[in-house]
Amino acid sequence: MSKSLLILTPNPDHPSHHGRWPYVLEAFREALYDLDLDVFDQAWSEPVTTPYDLICPLVAWGYHNAPNDFRRALAQIKAKGHRLLNPAEIVSWNVDKRYLRDLAQAGVRTIPTAFVDQLTPENMAAARADFGQDALVLKPVVSAGAKNTLIWKGVDVPAEAPQSEAMIQPLMRAIQTEGEWSLLFFGGDFSHAVLKTPKDGDFRSQPDYDAHLRMETPPDEALQLASDALEFVGRDSVLYARVDMVRDDQGRFCLMELELIEPDLYLKYDDGAPERLAKAFAAALHIGCGCH
């Protein structure tokens, strides 16, 4: 008998979630096509009423717009005894970017970050003094896709800045030259890496903002940093992960984000990536892969 997989998606009727996500979902379906696996999908905001062998929040875009609702949905899935990968407690922790503070305290090199309850001229000035530079990156502690994220050199808090809990970081200059590295892991094993360089004059490395993406072989230091981050959460406990990083002015890699909820896994940039993803799912579900 075939095993069953439920992929959580956005509400298709929500106007803010149209765009790339249906194509990302289709890429997952294609990667898993040869498995003895029935793949279903439904909005993460809807209750799960059918038993599945595995549930994944792989395309749960929009969770950052209603993080408390998303956490409640995860708790309900877990309470009903469903198997969720990545695990509900890890996904819930990963919703709020204050997880970076946990990683930093554990010795994982991250971008220097000040977390504040409310942005003020005073805490921005203090961050500038700590970072030794004027250009600050302001972003909400719960965000995705660079939403409400901006570079700011002014003294006063800009109107478009986050209005509640926020994070303040220095602008990592390498993001606009070399770019941001994304290292992809399936079943705890390294799969491939993508280097994402923003278009001229921008700092956002997402495809939505016309960044240039290409597959690259990551340096050993990048692999070590990714490994350090995964060991913190338990690399054997996560089915998929994307580890984003950028170099600092000394050339050292610093963790930007550890994406464990609904990352774009950039399957199309490496011909072997879909098969490696399928093997990881097959192992998690204890089914044959049929992969070469």
Side-chain angles (χ1 to χ4, degrees):
M1 180 181 294
S2 297
K3 296 288 183 76
S4 58
L5 167 69
L6 176 65
I7 297 177
L8 301 179
T9 73
N11 181 343
D13 297 324
H14 195 296
S16 68
H17 303 325
H18 292 292
R20 282 198 308 119
W21 78 260
Y23 304 100
V24 174
L25 175 62
E26 186 57 31
F28 290 136
R29 285 185 170 277
E30 290 178 2
L32 303 175
Y33 181 78
D34 289 332
L35 299 184
D36 187 18
L37 183 64
D38 295 323
V39 182
F40 304 89
D41 63 87
Q42 74 170 55
W44 64 258
S45 53
E46 297 299 319
V48 177
T49 58
T50 302
Y52 296 94
D53 293 296
L54 182 63
I55 300 176
C56 290
L58 269 170
V59 199
W61 293 15
Y63 74 87
H64 60 290
N65 293 322
N68 292 332
D69 291 343
F70 182 62
R71 283 191 172 118
R72 277 192 290 270
L74 294 174
Q76 290 169 359
I77 290 172
K78 183 178 179 181
K80 290 179 179 178
H82 295 290
R83 187 181 183 211
L84 185 74
L85 287 178
N86 289 331
E89 57 273 17
I90 291 178
V91 171
S92 185
W93 169 80
N94 200 224
V95 165
D96 188 315
K97 288 183 173 51
R98 280 172 283 206
Y99 71 77
L100 291 169
R101 184 164 52 196
D102 298 336
L103 288 162
Q105 290 172 349
V108 179
R109 185 187 296 116
T110 65
I111 295 176
T113 306
F115 293 97
V116 299
D117 293 333
Q118 185 82 38
L119 288 167
T120 66
E122 292 76 20
N123 55 39
M124 290 195 305
R128 287 193 171 97
D130 288 341
F131 301 152
Q133 70 176 60
D134 289 335
L136 300 177
V137 176
L138 310 177
K139 63 174 72 172
V141 296
V142 179
S143 66
K147 181 179 179 181
N148 298 127
T149 298
L150 67 152
I151 299 173
W152 188 246
K153 296 183 179 180
V155 175
D156 294 326
V157 179
E160 61 271 32
Q163 299 302 306
S164 56
E165 296 97 337
M167 48 200 295
I168 310 173
Q169 296 177 322
L171 174 63
M172 306 296 278
R173 284 178 272 265
I175 195 72
Q176 295 177 305
T177 54
E178 181 184 36
E180 172 186 342
W181 287 83
S182 287
L183 278 62
L184 290 306
F185 290 79
F186 305 148
D189 295 328
F190 173 70
S191 171
H192 61 293
V194 173
L195 181 58
K196 307 177 291 187
T197 306
K199 67 181 181 183
D200 288 345
D202 207 336
F203 68 99
R204 296 169 296 185
S205 59
Q206 291 85 357
D208 313 68
Y209 303 108
D210 299 324
H212 176 62
L213 279 66
R214 61 193 183 278
M215 192 183 78
E216 292 283 353
T217 300
D220 289 342
E221 306 95 294
L223 284 165
Q224 184 60 55
L225 179 61
S227 180
D228 292 345
L230 288 174
E231 290 299 336
F232 179 83
V233 297
R235 66 188 305 150
D236 293 336
S237 65
V238 292
L239 177 56
Y240 57 89
R242 196 183 80 209
V243 190
D244 296 337
M245 59 188 71
V246 65
R247 296 184 198 260
D248 64 13
D249 288 345
Q250 288 74 49
R252 301 173 301 178
F253 283 100
C254 298
L255 185 74
M256 294 183 69
E257 293 186 3
L258 175 60
E259 297 279 9
L260 302 173
I261 305 176
E262 37 73 288
D264 189 334
L265 298 177
Y266 303 128
L267 296 180
K268 72 175 184 179
Y269 292 91
D270 184 295
D271 290 341
E275 182 175 309
R276 289 191 288 271
L277 182 69
K279 286 181 176 179
F281 269 81
L285 286 159
H286 307 292
I287 58 177
C289 181
C291 304
H292 302 293

